[in-house]
Amino acid sequence: MSTSRNHLSAWLTILLASTTPAQRTIPDQGPSYTRDVRPILSKNCFACHGPDPGARKAKLRLDRPGEVQTTKMLARITHHDPDEIMPPTSSGKTLSSAQVAILRRWIAAGAPYQKHWSFVPPKRPSLPPTSSNTQHPIDRFVRTRLASQSLTPAPRADRLTLVRRVFLDLIGLPPTPGEADAFANDSSPNAYEKVIDRLLASPHYGERWARRWLDLARYADSNGYEKDRNRSIWPYRDWVIRALNADMPYDQFTIEQIAGDMLNEPTPDQLIATGFHRNTMLNEEGGIDPLEYRYHAMTDRVATTGTVFLGLTTGCAQCHTHKFDPITHTEYFQLMAFLNNADEPDFLIPAAANQGARQSRVARANQLLSKLGDRWPDRGESQQIKFAQWLADLRRKAAPWRPLRPRKVTTNLPLLTVEGDSVVFCSGDTTKHDTYKLEFDKRDQKVAALRLEALPDSRLPAGGPGMTYYEGRKGDFFLSEFKLRANGRPLKIASASESYARNRFGSNPVSAALATDGDLQTGWSIADAVSKRHVAVFVLANPIPADTPFELEMHFGRHFGSSLGKFRISATDQARGGHALALGQPTEQLLTRSDDQLSEVDRETLRRAFLLNSPELKKAAEEIRGLRAPLQQTLTLIFRERPAHHPRPTHRHHRGEFLQPREVVVPGVPEALHSYPANAPRDRLGFARWLVSRDNPLAARVLVNRHWATLFGRGLVQTIDDFGAQGAPPTHPELLDWLAVEFMDEGWSMKKLHRLLVTSETYKQSSNIDPERLAQDPSNRLLARAARPRLEAEILRDSFLKAAGVLSARMFGPPVRPPQPQGVTEVSFGKPRWNPSTGENRVRRSIYTFAKRTAPFALFQTFDAPSGEACVAQRDVSNTALQALSLLNDPMMIEIAQALGKNLAAFARDRDDDSKSAARHALRRVLTRHPSPNEVSALTEFLARQRRRFAADPTSARRVINAADAATDNVEWAAWTSVARALFSLDEAVTRN
């Protein structure tokens, strides 16, 4: 290798240079660069001689046009010396003789290059010639390709197989025997189309296809990572279902999820839609840096955007320029810049019905409050005496407070905005240790004490007043230091008090006084008392003179994201203001007035405050407070674009490392893709529109291919998540382009796309395997037969629930918990128990099942459903012994079998114990098709054995059906339950034929 490597660089430098226009013209002869040559170079050469300059060797780049020294290139790829041959033996890659022949022919044809096929905008190709029985556009493409390989399509599937297939594909549920027979007996020429239209209009359509989208959106109902606490984002799941049922155009569907908050006067639904990129995991460990894990969330968002909308592995460019596709390291972070300027608040969804209920509750509270004094436990003057004592005591503690409006506010990172009435609101990012600095001008009176009001706000997590956003402490804060300076010198605080204090972490005390001790590990927090106003008062050892400006510095820390979200600073010139009261601003102001300054309304306000805080009326006061409290609203997670004057900068991170930020980058798109419109704003909304522009060569192709793969078993591009150089070329490129253009021309309608796909004869083919077709095309790339995919985990469960007759049709709402084996969730942090839902919630569709990332639902995980930790464009399909065991023994599957067994026993009893009739009925409920006589005989023989078994052992029968008492019907029910368990375990029951 030594001497040959010395002259290798010189040879490789001249290997590729610019070509003349004549050389770029692709001759009729020779292999296709896109189809034949590029895959060879991409697999074997681009890692060392591709787009990434950091990995490129010998300054040679083979992924773009150049002048090839054909003799030397052929010499190196055909060399027998292991030190000379390319690819080098150390790479573990070897060119086959067929690949060498392709390269030889390519070189002989002038070594022409072509732009990668997926980066060329699709154009509608002409339809291939038709025949008398091939009118559907899809069939014309497919059958032309089959004919070129001397293959013929499989015959059409029988009607019962076809109706089960299209039911499962379009709504994720099998037909009932009655629904199947109605189609089988319908002789009208449009019988099949009528079934399709009914399925597309079904509300179950959205539930079926939303599950596919949620795989991409990495949806889950918990945060992930170590603690993996629950999160409320199910309104996003419901939004997806509703959008798909309404056939929202895919371009609008995309724009609302990427940037719905930036649309003109966005609706609540458009805000909910931005939950797409709030599905990223959230680390709640106390010792982490929240900015680091926000960065990890951003890298996930870039990778997900690339997979979902571009079909490209953009994440590969996080650490370096992409080794295979034309996406540079800088362009990766330019993509991130589009998404990086959003804040991530909670959103309380307004409910129109809540307004009337709220008014009614407040009216009831006011009615009770007006009569509260009448509920005093004893008669006489005790109430008035205690009221006078209460008023006198509070007057000694109260002080006149004047809000101070800071002239300047600064922080280490969060954005502080001074709003009306001197309120300061915090937004943006928080760190492990935030510092707020407020500067105040001179005043016309001295400052003897300062009051800090921590104020609730619906814009904050859990309503505030804190910025803490993780589930364990939402809305809390931790004020670790409260410092004052004037004339460059620190001011001593003599005492401090607070209206409420609680520490969520153990028994260590928290108080406002501990925020003045110089220790960042101690301070004041309010723990679970969120969505309320809290007050702390700090009394100065020496008042600040009236003509002296001063500075306030507040530190927040100890646990990440513990800053105050909304607050106000007020001052008093009276030293008696050293007490923090929690009666509310209006009442506290009244305490500073003398009796002759109070009106009757004022006195009544004070009297009611007394009654609400009297121990004698505690229970009645709690009822009134409960009625006054805001109604519980549904919370979800959304995006909100940051203020224009406070953008978040995006840096290029060297080697993709959070701790290695380099230069600031501006939003931009990869040069190799379609250009960004010159007049479009470079923001998230502009980016969303760029993604679904008709100029984008990828968006429609990627969507069409993904849905094709769902319905036909594999994509026209097999690598569903990779349309780049390492991805597989399309098996039917003209068909893919025709479908992409048709999809856009038809208004980006997914329902129209599905109707087009399932009405083709290609879709209607039988899945029976012909030996000749199998030999010529074992993986069915050419579509000479229908696929036989295993049912997705959720469809499998839902199908059995429907067969058993117990599936709930209820839609939407919080997630539910069907039964599963004990101990599945107890392995997670905190050992949370899985308490199965009861009633209707126990048998709802699987899309509503609670999804915990660190402990996925057992049956779904067994059957290859994703955990929600990452974007999944194509599920793995495995075949394991555990799947068979789960079908037989999973507690949920046993319950479903019991339900079906009970129905079958009743069916047989209603027909005078006609076992054969009931057996046929059982097979049809599970498999849809008519069983053969042999199958009916086998099932009735099995039933007879089970009857004998349970008749001989009634205890065993009770155990099978979970019956507490012995009964005559137990034997029949248990026997038919065994039949149901056997049917659920059939290969045909878990397969879509």
Side-chain angles (χ1 to χ4, degrees):
M1 198 75 177
S2 57
T3 56
S4 60
R5 284 294 173 91
N6 291 334
H7 65 262
L8 180 59
S9 176
W11 172 78
L12 291 174
T13 302
I14 64 174
L15 184 62
L16 294 177
S18 62
T19 63
T20 65
Q23 288 173 314
R24 294 192 194 105
T25 302
I26 301 174
D28 293 336
Q29 299 81 18
S32 163
Y33 175 77
T34 296
R35 184 185 66 244
D36 305 314
V37 176
R38 187 184 182 100
I40 298 173
L41 298 179
S42 177
K43 181 179 180 180
N44 297 283
C45 309
F46 283 4
C48 298
H49 305 297
D52 184 8
R56 196 178 303 142
K57 297 181 180 179
K59 299 181 180 179
L60 170 65
R61 187 168 181 178
L62 289 174
D63 65 315
R64 60 185 183 184
E67 184 177 329
V68 179
Q69 294 291 316
T70 56
T71 303
K72 291 186 177 180
M73 182 175 186
L74 285 174
R76 294 303 294 271
I77 65 176
T78 59
H79 212 290
H80 297 293
D81 187 340
D83 289 337
E84 295 287 340
I85 194 169
M86 285 289 161
T89 54
S90 59
S91 70
K93 298 175 181 178
T94 304
L95 295 181
S96 67
S97 57
Q99 290 172 325
V100 171
I102 290 173
L103 294 178
R104 189 189 300 274
R105 291 173 54 215
W106 174 61
I107 291 169
Y113 275 74
Q114 294 170 311
K115 192 173 184 178
H116 186 57
W117 68 268
S118 69
F119 299 153
V120 179
K123 295 181 180 179
R124 184 188 292 270
S126 299
L127 292 175
T130 183
S131 63
S132 59
N133 60 349
T134 308
Q135 297 295 331
H136 197 287
I138 290 175
D139 300 327
R140 290 168 70 170
F141 284 106
V142 171
R143 295 192 176 186
T144 298
R145 182 72 193 281
L146 287 174
S148 71
Q149 302 296 317
S150 300
L151 281 170
T152 57
R156 184 184 290 190
D158 67 83
R159 282 201 159 202
L160 292 180
T161 297
L162 184 57
V163 74
R164 181 175 187 266
R165 178 188 301 173
V166 78
F167 262 72
L168 289 170
D169 279 344
L170 291 185
I171 66 170
L173 297 171
T176 63
E179 290 171 322
D181 289 343
F183 168 65
N185 298 326
D186 188 346
S187 59
S188 59
N190 63 339
Y192 181 64
E193 285 72 15
K194 288 189 296 186
V195 169
I196 292 170
D197 291 340
R198 182 162 62 87
L199 295 176
L200 292 175
S202 167
H204 300 310
Y205 169 87
E207 293 175 316
R208 186 274 186 271
W209 289 96
R211 183 57 263 178
R212 300 293 299 187
W213 185 260
L214 296 182
D215 284 8
L216 297 165
R218 60 267 193 253
Y219 174 86
D221 297 299
S222 66
N223 288 331
Y225 292 113
E226 178 222 20
K227 290 183 173 60
D228 196 27
R229 290 193 178 98
N230 299 354
R231 64 167 52 166
S232 176
I233 197 171
W234 57 264
Y236 167 76
R237 173 249 288 154
D238 288 356
W239 177 88
V240 174
I241 296 172
R242 290 188 171 100
L244 293 174
N245 274 336
D247 199 20
M248 180 182 287
Y250 180 67
D251 54 352
Q252 179 185 347
F253 185 71
T254 297
I255 289 169
E256 293 196 6
Q257 291 184 82
I258 297 292
D261 60 302
M262 300 181 69
L263 297 171
N264 186 35
E265 297 183 1
T267 64
D269 277 352
Q270 289 168 333
L271 294 175
I272 293 168
T274 64
F276 174 78
H277 270 321
R278 289 301 310 276
N279 280 307
T280 46
M281 294 197 296
L282 172 66
N283 195 329
E284 302 176 275
E285 294 180 64
I288 65 131
D289 184 342
L291 295 181
E292 178 183 5
Y293 277 87
R294 188 189 176 281
Y295 172 77
H296 293 326
M298 288 309 308
T299 59
D300 169 72
R301 287 165 183 156
V302 176
T304 296
T305 300
T307 297
V308 175
F309 303 106
L310 299 173
L312 296 176
T313 54
T314 54
C316 294
Q318 176 186 340
C319 303
H320 48 70
T321 290
H322 204 296
K323 291 184 181 298
F324 304 101
D325 295 331
I327 305 173
T328 69
H329 186 41
T330 297
E331 287 173 338
Y332 171 89
F333 288 99
Q334 288 180 306
L335 286 174
M336 180 184 287
F338 279 116
L339 303 172
N340 196 30
N341 200 40
D343 286 331
E344 302 175 22
D346 292 352
F347 177 54
L348 291 174
I349 303 171
N354 277 357
Q355 186 62 26
R358 169 74 174 149
Q359 292 175 350
S360 175
R361 289 166 62 89
V362 170
R364 174 62 177 161
N366 290 338
Q367 182 183 30
L368 292 176
L369 183 59
S370 66
K371 299 178 180 179
L372 185 59
D374 298 338
R375 301 176 69 174
W376 194 264
D378 55 29
R379 299 187 180 276
E381 299 180 353
S382 66
Q383 183 182 138
Q384 294 301 322
I385 294 172
K386 289 196 174 184
F387 172 55
Q389 293 173 344
W390 174 85
L391 186 59
D393 180 58
L394 287 183
R395 279 175 166 168
R396 286 191 294 271
K397 298 177 180 179
W401 294 101
R402 298 176 58 184
L404 300 180
R405 187 177 183 86
R407 67 175 178 83
K408 183 179 180 182
V409 292
T410 56
T411 70
N412 59 313
L413 183 63
L415 172 65
L416 295 183
T417 303
V418 182
E419 301 181 333
D421 202 20
S422 301
V423 167
V424 181
F425 186 78
C426 179
S427 60
D429 301 326
T430 60
T431 70
K432 294 170 69 172
H433 180 183
D434 283 336
T435 304
Y436 296 179
K437 294 182 180 179
L438 290 77
E439 299 179 14
F440 297 94
D441 287 326
K442 301 176 182 179
R443 295 148 316 287
D444 57 2
Q445 60 183 215
K446 67 182 180 179
V447 175
L450 289 173
R451 182 179 69 179
L452 168 63
E453 292 176 89
L455 302 171
D457 193 287
S458 62
R459 293 171 290 178
L460 299 171
M467 288 279 287
T468 307
Y469 57 84
Y470 61 94
E471 294 291 346
R473 299 181 61 229
K474 273 196 172 185
D476 195 8
F477 62 88
F478 192 89
L479 174 65
S480 58
E481 285 299 307
F482 187 95
K483 299 179 179 180
L484 295 167
R485 295 180 69 87
N487 297 321
R489 296 181 178 179
L491 301 176
K492 185 177 180 181
I493 296 174
S495 63
S497 61
E498 71 286 328
S499 58
Y500 179 85
R502 185 178 176 186
N503 182 11
R504 180 177 293 275
F505 299 98
S507 58
N508 293 336
V510 287
S511 68
L514 291 173
T516 66
D517 63 357
D519 185 353
L520 290 173
Q521 298 301 311
T522 62
W524 176 43
S525 65
I526 49 91
D528 55 350
V530 298
S531 300
K532 299 177 182 178
R533 172 180 176 266
H534 298 279
V535 175
V537 171
F538 301 87
V539 179
L540 282 76
N542 298 296
I544 305 173
D547 59 351
T548 305
F550 69 95
E551 299 174 1
L552 167 62
E553 184 176 298
M554 292 187 288
H555 292 255
F556 301 92
R558 189 183 183 193
H559 298 283
F560 75 86
S562 300
S563 303
L564 255 179
K566 185 176 180 179
F567 62 94
R568 176 169 48 211
I569 302 296
S570 301
T572 183
D573 60 351
Q574 299 182 18
R576 68 177 186 177
H579 299 275
L581 305 178
L583 299 174
Q585 184 77 357
T587 304
E588 291 171 18
Q589 288 178 340
L590 295 178
L591 292 173
T592 63
R593 300 179 186 177
S594 61
D595 285 341
D596 58 357
Q597 294 175 314
L598 296 175
S599 67
E600 286 302 315
V601 173
D602 294 337
R603 288 189 62 83
E604 181 62 18
T605 299
L606 288 171
R607 191 180 76 86
R608 288 184 174 182
F610 158 71
L611 294 173
L612 284 171
N613 289 277
S614 298
E616 293 86 347
L617 300 174
K618 182 179 179 181
K619 186 174 181 180
E622 287 177 350
E623 181 184 3
I624 293 171
R625 289 192 182 96
L627 290 169
R628 283 178 164 180
L631 289 173
Q632 185 173 0
Q633 290 179 281
T634 300
L635 178 146
T636 193
L637 311 178
I638 65 168
F639 263 8
R640 283 279 197 187
E641 189 72 354
R642 291 165 70 92
H645 64 277
H646 190 66
R648 180 186 288 115
T650 301
H651 298 262
R652 179 185 66 82
H653 288 254
H654 180 60
R655 300 182 65 84
E657 289 286 347
F658 166 69
L659 294 176
Q660 297 195 56
R662 296 294 191 263
E663 72 278 3
V664 173
V665 299
V666 297
V669 297
E671 184 180 349
L673 300 180
H674 62 296
S675 60
Y676 198 87
N679 59 347
R682 289 188 175 263
D683 57 21
R684 195 161 28 93
L685 181 56
F687 176 61
R689 288 171 172 156
W690 175 86
L691 282 173
V692 286
S693 162
R694 284 190 68 102
D695 295 330
N696 185 347
L698 291 163
R701 279 186 178 129
V702 169
L703 185 281
V704 165
N705 187 65
R706 213 161 41 224
H707 288 233
W708 180 281
T710 302
L711 296 172
F712 290 89
R714 59 178 291 152
L716 296 171
V717 177
Q718 185 177 358
T719 49
I720 291 174
D721 57 352
D722 189 0
F723 275 51
Q726 290 292 94
T731 56
H732 298 71
E734 295 84 5
L735 172 57
L736 178 61
D737 283 3
W738 188 92
L739 287 170
V741 175
E742 178 74 4
F743 177 55
M744 293 186 285
D745 286 349
E746 288 294 323
W748 301 79
S749 166
M750 285 181 272
K751 285 191 176 182
K752 288 181 180 178
L753 173 65
H754 290 153
R755 194 180 195 281
L756 177 67
L757 297 181
V758 301
T759 54
S760 68
E761 290 298 322
T762 303
Y763 176 82
K764 299 175 190 176
Q765 291 179 110
S766 169
S767 63
N768 293 337
I769 298 178
D770 176 270
E772 181 181 351
R773 293 187 185 90
L774 181 62
Q776 281 192 256
D777 188 15
S779 57
N780 199 29
R781 295 174 67 250
L782 302 181
L783 303 164
R785 62 182 184 275
R788 297 183 61 192
R790 211 265 329 280
L791 295 182
E792 297 161 28
E794 297 87 351
I795 294 179
L796 184 148
R797 172 180 176 267
D798 294 347
S799 296
F800 292 157
L801 285 171
K802 186 174 181 183
V806 295
L807 177 65
S808 167
R810 182 185 171 197
M811 299 178 67
F812 310 124
V816 296
R817 290 172 167 81
Q820 65 173 331
Q822 293 183 356
V824 171
T825 57
E826 281 86 338
V827 300
S828 299
F829 178 89
K831 299 182 178 179
R833 292 186 61 82
W834 181 274
N835 297 316
S837 300
T838 58
E840 188 178 19
N841 284 338
R842 199 175 182 95
V843 289
R844 293 186 64 195
R845 284 204 71 167
S846 297
I847 193 171
Y848 304 111
T849 298
F850 184 88
K852 186 173 182 65
R853 284 182 162 113
T854 57
F857 190 66
L859 187 81
F860 297 169
Q861 187 176 37
T862 299
F863 283 90
D864 307 310
S867 65
E869 294 169 287
C871 171
V872 173
Q874 185 173 23
R875 295 186 180 187
D876 293 329
V877 180
S878 64
N879 188 2
T880 68
L882 183 57
Q883 292 171 355
L885 292 171
S886 296
L887 291 174
L888 280 171
N889 302 314
D890 185 285
M892 178 183 61
M893 291 302 304
I894 290 176
E895 278 195 16
I896 299 173
Q898 289 166 350
L900 178 55
K902 189 173 185 179
N903 286 336
L904 293 174
F907 184 93
R909 186 170 56 250
D910 292 344
R911 286 157 182 78
D912 298 325
D913 292 325
D914 182 352
S915 298
K916 288 192 174 182
S917 177
R920 281 192 293 270
H921 180 67
L923 283 159
R924 294 216 60 199
R925 289 182 74 151
V926 177
L927 304 180
T928 304
R929 64 173 175 82
H930 292 290
S932 68
N934 287 340
E935 290 171 325
V936 174
S937 296
L939 200 60
T940 52
E941 289 175 10
F942 176 76
L943 173 66
R945 290 199 301 270
Q946 299 305 308
R947 283 170 170 166
R948 292 193 295 271
R949 168 194 168 196
F950 293 125
D953 185 3
T955 301
S956 176
R958 292 198 300 273
R959 188 165 55 248
V960 166
I961 58 176
N962 293 334
D965 302 316
T968 305
D969 289 343
N970 284 356
V971 170
E972 279 297 293
W973 185 3
W976 281 108
T977 296
S978 295
V979 168
R981 293 175 70 188
L983 291 177
F984 289 161
S985 297
L986 293 175
D987 176 73
E988 192 176 350
V990 300
T991 304
R992 191 223 73 181
N993 284 336

